[in-house]
Amino acid sequence: MTSESQITAWLATQHDAMITLLREMVDIDSGSYNKPGIDAVGAVVQRFMAAQGIPIQITQQRNHGDTVRAVVPWDGPAGNAGGNIVLMGHRDTVFPDGEVSRRPFTIRDGIAYGPGVADMKAGLVMNCFVLAAFHKFGGSPAPLVGLFTGDEEIGSPEGRAVIEAEARRARVVFNSEPGRVSGNVVTGRKGGVFSAFRITGKAAHSGGNFSEGISAIEEIARKIQAIHALTDLDRGITLNVGLISGGQSVNTVAPWAEAQIDLRYVEPGDRDDAMARIAAIIERSYVPGTKAELTVKGEFLPLVQTPTAKRLFEIYVQAAADTGFTTAGEFTGGCADSGFTAGVGTPTICAVGPVGGKAHSPDEFLRVESLVPRAQACARAILRLDQAGL
Ligand SMILES: [Zn+2]
């Protein structure tokens, strides 16, 4: 038997084992700021790899999850692989501690629920089983790396350097974010910058001493209007001030105010221009006497489809068809780590994970029957990289 038929046949027998692993991962709270939880999910990955005999390397991180890297050694001639094949996924979720006890992993009518079930613990499970399959049967055209990161949902402040270093030595990257409800994968994503600003005014009694006050809240209101006015829907540039706080009491002229901004853009060249406009708004005092400071908190690069990424996508489409499902590429405003791997020039395809939806909400769901076929399609695509000259 060829590797392809061995691998896809073996994956077909692993449905129940996939569910068991998925249940274990989902039932661990692993919000982006819960380092012990994210590392506990990492320990599940490590245990799985150890049972398969697949070696693991850990890059320790201070605040978020450690980066876990599993490598299936290559059985081909040394030095001739043209770079690793990387299967990527994040172990953190957007959910707070305690979410798991409120709504643990469950399956009803073929749909699985639970925090992070689709985004993206199912993708981690898929990556684990694809690695295991190639370790058992061989056939990968290059060393196969599973990269399990720990802080994607907040822009990978610590994981980014590891991801970029891995991508620079990679032939291609498959990112196992959830497949769209349509079955589609993602071939383009917006870039994003999360930033925060704080305004300092001057407190004064709003009845007895109004004129001595400098209102940070009036200033923030004007700044927010100016920032939102930078939105250009035709160019895909959006500005959202999604968090705001400030003030001391209802009868005090507000001495401080702060807010957080989410900038999204499509064209890589629009990033610096938009940030410069935001910086100019922050610098300007609409209310004389206020001062403000801007801090970048996190950043995602856009996923842009290069000609080689398009070839990778075409291989995947054929691999999916041979597995029995149709898929197309789509664009999303959501950001992901795939922007970083594409940003260093490595052909990347995103959302090859099992199919789900309503991510980041209590209604998040996963189509259980997509676990095996998505793993099979991923494996088929890997087996055909050489043939496509990738
Ligand atoms: Zn995700």
Side-chain angles (χ1 to χ4, degrees):
M1 276 210 290
T2 64
S3 296
E4 180 167 319
S5 54
Q6 285 176 312
I7 284 172
T8 53
W10 181 75
L11 286 170
T13 66
Q14 297 305 302
H15 174 87
D16 292 354
M18 290 180 186
I19 296 288
T20 302
L21 190 65
L22 180 60
R23 177 188 300 277
E24 189 173 1
M25 287 187 186
V26 171
D27 281 346
I28 298 171
D29 279 316
S30 63
S32 300
Y33 295 96
N34 178 355
K35 178 171 171 55
I38 304 165
D39 287 338
V41 179
V44 174
V45 173
Q46 284 183 64
R47 212 194 51 228
F48 177 90
M49 297 300 165
Q52 305 293 325
I54 298 172
I56 283 274
Q57 292 155 354
I58 305 284
T59 304
Q60 289 187 343
Q61 304 290 4
R62 183 184 292 271
N63 299 310
H64 306 290
D66 295 341
T67 308
V68 178
R69 180 179 191 265
V71 189
V72 175
W74 193 43
D75 44 16
N80 194 28
N84 298 330
I85 297 162
V86 177
L87 305 183
M88 187 165 68
H90 64 84
R91 312 193 309 276
D92 61 318
T93 75
V94 296
F95 297 103
D97 291 351
E99 191 80 4
V100 165
S101 63
R102 283 189 289 277
R103 46 183 199 95
F105 181 85
T106 49
I107 299 179
R108 287 192 303 276
D109 301 328
I111 306 289
Y113 302 90
V117 68
D119 183 14
M120 58 178 286
K121 287 173 174 175
L124 302 180
V125 167
M126 186 192 94
N127 289 354
C128 283
F129 280 85
V130 172
L131 288 163
F134 278 100
H135 187 58
K136 274 180 199 306
F137 302 106
S140 174
L144 199 55
V145 173
L147 191 64
F148 302 84
T149 68
D151 54 358
E152 190 269 354
E153 296 290 2
I154 52 170
S156 298
E158 293 179 330
R160 179 176 175 175
V162 178
I163 291 165
E164 289 180 336
E166 191 70 57
R168 282 194 187 94
R169 5 176 242 264
R171 277 164 73 152
V172 295
V173 174
F174 294 86
N175 195 27
S176 305
E177 289 282 353
R180 309 290 108 167
V181 175
S182 56
N184 287 353
V185 294
V186 169
T187 46
R189 287 184 182 271
K190 284 189 176 183
V193 181
F194 298 152
S195 60
F197 64 102
R198 186 180 169 93
I199 296 166
T200 311
K202 187 170 174 235
H205 192 297
S206 61
N209 211 10
F210 180 83
S211 300
E212 274 193 20
I214 299 172
S215 174
I217 284 183
E218 181 171 354
E219 177 68 17
I220 207 166
R222 290 168 184 261
K223 278 184 168 30
I224 289 168
Q225 291 196 323
I227 290 164
H228 275 211
L230 299 176
T231 292
D232 180 345
L233 292 176
D234 291 341
R235 282 193 74 76
I237 298 169
T238 60
L239 276 300
N240 179 58
V241 175
L243 285 170
I244 176 172
S245 58
Q248 178 177 293
S249 70
V250 68
N251 55 353
T252 304
V253 176
W256 69 276
E258 59 190 20
Q260 295 192 31
I261 311 167
D262 178 0
L263 159 70
R264 304 284 169 123
Y265 60 94
V266 177
E267 296 298 329
D270 286 343
R271 185 258 182 218
D272 287 353
D273 181 58
M275 286 308 290
R277 285 165 191 260
I278 292 169
I281 291 165
I282 300 304
E283 198 150 304
R284 173 175 170 191
S285 295
Y286 296 80
V287 175
T290 55
K291 286 192 178 57
E293 214 180 324
L294 179 71
T295 322
V296 172
K297 296 278 208 192
E299 175 147 18
F300 282 103
L301 297 182
L303 175 63
V304 180
Q305 195 179 42
T306 59
T308 44
K310 188 157 187 288
R311 284 222 303 284
L312 176 60
F313 165 69
E314 286 160 357
I315 293 169
Y316 186 83
V317 169
Q318 189 57 50
D322 293 345
T323 304
F325 66 94
T326 54
T327 189
E330 61 182 68
F331 185 89
T332 170
C335 297
D337 282 335
S338 47
F340 294 131
T341 61
V344 302
T346 307
T348 298
I349 183 168
C350 196
V352 297
V355 171
K358 300 257 165 77
H360 298 198
S361 85
D363 301 324
E364 180 182 9
F365 67 91
L366 173 81
R367 293 209 174 127
V368 168
E369 86 284 354
S370 70
L371 277 163
V372 167
R374 297 294 275 203
Q376 290 171 324
C378 183
R380 283 194 164 99
I382 289 168
L383 288 163
R384 297 169 186 184
L385 291 173
D386 269 353
Q387 181 188 319
L390 278 166

